[in-house]
Amino acid sequence: MKVWLLLGLLLVHEALEDVTAQHPPKNKRPKEPGENRIKPTNKKVKPKIPKIKDRDSADSTPKTQSIMMQVLDKGRFQKPAATLSLLAGQTVELRCKGSKIGWSYPAYLDTFKDSRLSVKQNERYSQLTLVNSTSADTGEFSCWGQLCSGYICRKDEAKTGSTYIFFTEKGELFVPSPSYFDVVYLNPDRQAVVPCRVTVLSAKVTLHREFPAKEIPANGTDIVYDMKRGFVYLQPHSEHQGVVYCRAEAGGRSQISIKYQLLYVEVPSGPPSTTILASSNKVRSGDDVSVLCTVLGEPDVEVEFRWIFPGQKDERPVTIQDTWRLIHRGLGHTTRISQSVITVEDFETIDAGYYICTAQNLQGQTTVATTVEFS
């Protein structure tokens, strides 16, 4: 019995020595060189830290989400690409998700209040439908959500959608124009556009001067071609003026656009540059007098005139006539001269005093005055 007990104790002792040899206590041996570099102390933290930061930064700057869908046949939907090419005659249906949606589409459809276009707002989405499409409908179709407070709404920049649609029609490489000749004004302080837009995405388009006949290169420095706008003059100057046209080639066919007269503008944009002049500043009783208000401005900027005159409160009858014309002022510079003239017949004492003219355009207004005395 004692022998067996001694044998058992010896076996237990040997097993303990083996375990100690395989897993020695940390305080009984020195650290190996480089042991700290392979310690797995940061294993749990490494993959999580960047993910949390990325999620936080994404929340602080929300991405713009497209809310536009194209309705296909048999009730199918797809997100439209940035550009679409469709055959003229096809029906286009676009949906934008939201209870209040704003739309933008080619000005051609809005100008003529085209009955082929309809927009319907439903409870959860708005739908734009265009039937019997033509090449003239080529352009940008876009929508956006609206954030409203009462009757005041603003655009939700985070919820938008857009697509540019080319409507291809046989025999029409260019988007048709309502006229055979157009004027493009070259302002020294802003871009000018020759609107040669095509209906075929793959069309090659070049710009040409009529006289002397030559191609005008779109070099990317002075002139660039934008398929959605046309040829863009980045920094217009007087040397660019003249008559130009565009040429398009696609699928073995070629076509020439309408002609564009480029006119350089001398007067920079801003409130009207206004002067006032009376036919006479001293008028005798019974004579007639006229006061002329003149504005020199940009050719394509309209000017409105308003008058204040001494006999206005007494409802004194006067004649007011507004006119305008384009004038050329050397070196090919073109200016619009707008004039308003007020005429008083059979001058009386109530007609003496200040004649005040206010000229207004989109950039602001200018007021000038002169006196007419009773002689």
Side-chain angles (χ1 to χ4, degrees):
M1 184 70 178
K2 290 181 180 180
V3 173
W4 287 109
L5 182 61
L6 287 173
L7 287 173
L9 289 173
L10 286 172
L11 290 172
V12 170
H13 181 70
E14 288 178 358
L16 287 173
E17 284 182 347
D18 290 339
V19 171
T20 304
Q22 293 177 11
H23 303 284
K26 291 182 181 179
N27 57 354
K28 289 190 178 180
R29 66 176 177 84
K31 293 181 179 180
E32 296 285 345
E35 184 178 357
N36 289 337
R37 289 198 297 270
I38 62 173
K39 285 181 69 177
T41 53
N42 294 327
K43 241 179 188 179
K44 297 179 181 179
V45 183
K46 187 171 71 172
K48 293 184 178 180
I49 293 176
K51 289 184 179 178
I52 295 174
K53 288 184 178 179
D54 289 344
R55 191 158 52 242
D56 291 342
S57 61
D59 293 339
S60 61
T61 55
K63 293 182 179 179
T64 301
Q65 53 176 298
S66 177
I67 60 173
M68 179 180 284
M69 298 292 289
Q70 181 185 4
V71 183
L72 305 177
D73 56 348
K74 298 181 181 179
R76 295 183 297 117
F77 299 88
Q78 72 175 13
K79 284 190 178 295
T83 58
L84 295 175
S85 291
L86 302 177
L87 292 176
Q90 286 187 260
T91 296
V92 177
E93 293 182 67
L94 300 173
R95 284 189 184 182
C96 289
K97 184 179 179 181
S99 58
K100 288 185 181 294
I101 297 295
W103 286 92
S104 176
Y105 38 82
Y108 168 84
L109 293 168
D110 207 25
T111 301
F112 297 97
K113 305 296 180 185
D114 206 312
S115 60
R116 298 177 299 119
L117 178 77
S118 64
V119 175
K120 183 179 180 181
Q121 178 68 59
N122 295 291
E123 184 178 353
R124 296 184 179 181
Y125 65 89
S126 177
Q127 179 159 319
L128 178 147
T129 304
L130 176 65
V131 299
N132 298 324
S133 58
T134 70
S135 57
D137 302 325
T138 296
E140 186 98 31
F141 292 78
S142 61
C143 66
W144 57 90
Q146 297 189 88
L147 300 173
C148 299
S149 176
Y151 294 101
I152 301 176
C153 297
R154 61 184 178 87
K155 184 177 181 180
D156 186 352
E157 299 291 348
K159 296 180 179 179
T160 62
S162 68
T163 184
Y164 190 95
I165 304 179
F166 294 87
F167 291 100
T168 304
E169 189 170 352
K170 186 177 181 180
E172 293 286 355
L173 292 182
F174 286 105
V175 177
S177 173
S179 63
Y180 293 98
F181 193 85
D182 203 357
V183 177
V184 175
Y185 296 107
L186 305 175
N187 296 271
D189 55 351
R190 63 173 180 264
Q191 296 179 356
V193 179
V194 177
C196 297
R197 296 187 300 123
V198 291
T199 62
V200 179
L201 179 60
S202 60
K204 178 186 177 183
V205 189
T206 52
L207 181 65
H208 299 261
R209 183 183 296 278
E210 186 177 49
F211 183 82
K214 66 175 184 178
E215 181 178 338
I216 303 173
N219 54 20
T221 303
D222 295 327
I223 305 173
V224 297
Y225 181 70
D226 183 340
M227 67 177 182
K228 297 181 180 181
R229 301 171 66 194
F231 286 95
V232 183
Y233 286 74
L234 302 177
Q235 296 178 324
H237 48 77
S238 58
E239 288 77 8
H240 288 143
Q241 65 187 341
V243 178
V244 301
Y245 61 90
C246 301
R247 179 185 178 89
E249 296 180 359
R253 295 182 295 123
S254 65
Q255 187 177 3
I256 293 176
S257 72
I258 68 169
K259 294 179 180 179
Y260 299 89
Q261 174 73 59
L262 308 188
L263 296 177
Y264 188 73
V265 178
E266 181 183 17
V267 180
S269 60
S273 174
T274 313
T275 59
I276 192 169
L277 179 67
S279 58
S280 177
N281 292 104
K282 291 187 177 182
V283 184
R284 293 179 298 180
S285 176
D287 287 351
D288 298 343
V289 64
S290 296
V291 182
L292 178 65
C293 192
T294 302
V295 170
L296 296 178
E298 299 175 83
D300 56 342
V301 176
E302 296 184 0
V303 177
E304 294 183 357
F305 293 96
R306 298 191 305 274
W307 284 96
I308 298 175
F309 52 94
Q312 198 165 13
K313 292 182 179 179
D314 298 319
E315 298 184 355
R316 178 75 161 92
V318 297
T319 302
I320 299 176
Q321 184 178 9
D322 297 343
T323 60
W324 71 269
R325 69 182 189 277
L326 295 180
I327 59 174
H328 300 282
R329 303 180 60 182
L331 297 177
H333 293 182
T334 304
T335 301
R336 177 181 179 132
I337 179 170
S338 303
Q339 294 181 315
S340 181
V341 58
I342 182 171
T343 302
V344 180
E345 298 178 349
D346 194 15
F347 196 81
E348 303 176 13
T349 54
I350 62 170
D351 298 320
Y354 283 99
Y355 285 75
I356 303 171
C357 170
T358 298
Q360 183 172 359
N361 63 17
L362 295 176
Q363 282 79 38
Q365 66 179 32
T366 305
T367 301
V368 291
T370 189
T371 58
V372 178
E373 299 176 359
F374 188 79
S375 174

